[in-house]
Structure formats: C-alpha cells, structure tokens
Amino acid sequence: MTTDTPARLLQLLSLLQTPREWPGGELAERLRVSRRTVRRDIDRLRELGYPVQASKGADGGYRLVAGKAMPPLVLDDEEAVAIAVGLRAGAGHAVEGVDEASVRALAKLEQVLPARLRHRVATLQAATTPLTSGDGASIAPETLTVMASTVAGRERLRFAYRAKDGTESRRLTEPYRLVSTGRRWYLVAYDLDRADWRTFRVDRVREPFATGARFAPRELPTGSAAEYLRRSLQGQAYTYEFDVAFEEPPESVAARLPAWMGRPEADGEGGSRLRGSTSDPVDWLALRLAMLGCEFSVRGPRELAECVRELGARLGRAGAPGTRSESDAPEAAGAAD
C-alpha cells in the first residue's frame, strides 16, 4: 500500500493521463488502496485543477479530460526523453511552425530533467542525424534554450558573434525575443556596448552565457519583434518583388508553398497568382519554384524569368539522350531497402 499521499497522487495522475477510462476497482488495485481512498484522491486532483470526469455504473470509471486551463503534466522517463529529443530536433533546424513557444518548452523541460535523462537525450541526439532540406542553418539546441531562458527571465546575455563578413566580437545584450523565419532563428536584443537595438542570426552565435544580471525591458521601436526583424533584414539586403502565375487553384498551390513566400490568390480563370517580395538570390527562388511540382509562369521580374529559363535548359540537357541512366550507374554502397 502506498502511504505517501503526494507520491500516490502523482502515480494516480500518471495513470489517468493515459487516454482511457479507468474503473475505480482497477485504480484501487494498482495503487493498493481502497476505493474510498481513490475517490478522495480524485477529489484532491480536482482541487488542484485537474479535470477528472467520473462515469456512473457498477464499478464507476475515471478519465482525465480537457479543461479550461493546462494543468501540470506528469511524464515517465520514456515520455520525457521522447519529448525532449523531438523538441531539440525541431528547434535546432528552425522548422516552419516551430516557434519560440517550443524553445521555451524545451528550456523548461531540460531544466527539470534528472541528470540520467539529460545524458540519454544527449546520447540519442549525438547518435542521430536529421535529413533536412538544406536551406536552413543548423543550431545547437543548447544555444536556443539558454537564449530562451534569458528572454523569459529578463536576464542579460553575453555571447561571441561572427558577423556576415567574418568579423568576431563579444556582445553583451538585453535579449527581447527569439524570432523564427521558417529557415533561420534570429535574436532581437538591445546591444549594451553599441547602445542600440540589433538583430543576431542565432547560427552565428557561440558560447551564449546567462550573466544572472536582471534588467527592465526597454520599449522596442516597432513594438513587434517580428516587424523589427523584417525591417532590419530589408535594410541589409536588396529586396525585389516577384509575380508568378500558376495553372492550379490557390488552395492547391498554397499546400506546397512555405509560409514565407506568401499566399496565392485566385486569378478568376481557375488558376492563381503569387505576388510578394524577397531578398533571397534570384537563382534560389527559381529553384524553389521549380520544386513545387506544378506548372507556372513568371510575370516578373525579368531576372527571375531568365533564371527559370536557364534552369529549365540546364535540366533539359541533364536528361537528354546519351546521358548515363540509373541502370548504367554503379550500385551505391549501402543502398536503402
């Protein structure tokens, strides 16, 4: 019999978080207590904010359901490791849709993980390599978690930084927000040495260190970290507008487009048009459009249209008769099944 009430409540909560209904008799047997004790423990969980639903019947059953607020979760070792590894993998590559909230969750989880579980997470992470699209920069998850912690705790952050031209420097900042563009992570922060706001590419940051010194947040000029980053990036690079027509309806094209490219609109003839602006190289945008797998035509700019034509010609030559086929090529060692 479990006489330690807090330990028994945690064990009960762990059971209830399994998505099924638990008969009262089975819970009593698992916990080695009476059904009356189970009912009292269920009432305690409800008082703590856990929405436990009871069903009537000969044996009565209990189920944890969705409530108005998110109560604390109890994870076993395997679940904690799985979640930490998943968050690390997503955060390290700035996957679209994985934003600052996931990094904050990773920071919270790793802060409370026992040493034995942190070692398991690190070992598994070191032994695996994700297959990515290659258009984003890889980042050590520890870098993001340190930054997220200083943002949340309003704590000054010191780090080494490599600028675009390769210049190395040390920075002392008041971090404001982490922003993901879908391909890269950026830190928006107030640079104390330069007495001004700055944006930093996180993949160029090394040795981030939380100083422990607290600060009162300053007012960002634009009010929004995402807007400040957008203006900063536009000021750093040449931005051009593009206009592309597709033969497929907007919803079909949108399902293949990354969010940063914008949303296509119906053209009134069964097709769609995509208009937007970018500072990415023209040849990269041409390749990205070709990868969508649907018919399109470039309405502007002229440089993009020329780049698409050159890319098409190059691909045509690569597949022309006389090119060695797969059957002529030597079998690759260690081919996948």
Side-chain angles (χ1 to χ4, degrees):
M1 176 179 178
T2 305
T3 57
D4 184 352
T5 301
R8 190 177 65 247
L9 286 175
L10 288 175
Q11 186 179 355
L12 173 59
L13 182 58
S14 180
L15 292 172
L16 289 174
Q17 285 179 165
T18 302
R20 55 162 289 194
E21 183 167 286
W22 289 87
E26 186 174 350
L27 288 175
E29 183 180 348
R30 288 285 194 108
L31 300 173
R32 291 187 293 176
V33 296
S34 67
R35 296 189 184 188
R36 182 180 178 184
T37 299
V38 170
R39 289 194 294 271
R40 286 203 304 265
D41 287 347
I42 291 294
D43 289 338
R44 291 190 181 98
L45 289 179
R46 288 169 175 162
E47 291 172 0
L48 293 172
Y50 293 94
V52 182
Q53 186 180 73
S55 60
K56 298 180 180 179
D59 198 19
Y62 300 97
R63 175 192 296 271
L64 193 64
V65 297
K68 295 182 179 179
M70 179 69 183
L73 294 176
V74 176
L75 305 173
D76 62 28
D77 286 5
E78 303 304 323
E79 293 167 340
V81 169
I83 292 175
V85 170
L87 288 173
R88 273 171 160 251
H93 293 275
V95 177
E96 185 176 341
V98 180
D99 56 13
E100 186 187 350
S102 67
V103 179
R104 292 200 309 269
L106 177 59
K108 291 177 181 178
L109 181 58
E110 293 199 337
Q111 182 178 359
V112 298
L113 279 180
R116 69 179 190 283
L117 296 187
R118 285 200 300 271
H119 176 71
R120 287 177 58 184
V121 171
T123 300
L124 184 55
Q125 189 79 15
T128 58
T129 300
L131 180 62
T132 60
S133 61
D135 55 4
S138 179
I139 303 168
E142 293 84 357
T143 298
L144 282 171
T145 54
V146 169
M147 289 184 166
S149 297
T150 58
V151 169
R154 297 176 179 177
E155 186 176 352
R156 287 181 177 176
L157 176 71
R158 188 185 301 276
F159 54 85
Y161 190 70
R162 176 178 53 83
K164 184 177 181 180
D165 60 4
T167 303
E168 299 278 353
S169 61
R170 300 288 301 182
R171 303 296 183 97
L172 178 61
T173 66
E174 294 178 352
Y176 185 80
R177 285 289 187 278
L178 280 166
V179 182
S180 170
T181 64
R183 293 186 295 142
R184 293 191 178 99
W185 282 102
Y186 290 85
L187 173 69
V188 175
Y190 188 84
D191 191 321
L192 292 170
D193 294 327
R194 290 154 181 79
D196 199 3
W197 289 94
R198 291 288 190 273
T199 59
F200 302 94
R201 267 181 51 173
V202 178
D203 58 297
R204 293 177 179 167
V205 169
R206 293 185 298 102
E207 304 170 9
F209 175 72
T211 64
R214 306 290 178 177
F215 65 89
R218 302 171 190 265
E219 184 177 353
L220 192 65
T222 60
S224 164
E227 176 63 18
Y228 184 84
L229 175 63
R230 185 185 67 81
R231 295 184 185 181
S232 176
L233 293 179
Q234 286 182 343
Q236 295 174 11
Y238 166 72
T239 301
Y240 60 92
E241 296 183 351
F242 59 86
D243 183 358
V244 183
F246 296 91
E247 296 183 6
E248 298 187 24
E251 57 272 14
S252 176
V253 177
R256 310 181 190 188
L257 283 174
W260 64 266
M261 290 185 72
R263 301 288 296 182
E265 299 177 351
D267 62 4
E269 301 177 359
S272 56
R273 293 282 290 274
L274 177 66
R275 299 178 177 89
S277 61
T278 181
S279 58
D280 287 310
V282 174
D283 54 353
W284 190 94
L285 180 58
L287 179 60
R288 194 66 184 83
L289 289 168
M291 290 170 60
L292 296 179
C294 52
E295 297 294 328
F296 70 92
S297 60
V298 176
R299 304 296 176 87
R302 179 176 54 82
E303 294 81 1
L304 178 59
E306 292 176 352
C307 195
V308 168
R309 284 195 294 269
E310 292 175 2
L311 177 62
R314 190 179 311 123
L315 294 176
R317 291 193 298 271
T323 303
R324 187 170 64 171
S325 65
E326 285 188 9
S327 59
D328 298 326
E331 185 175 349
D337 294 333

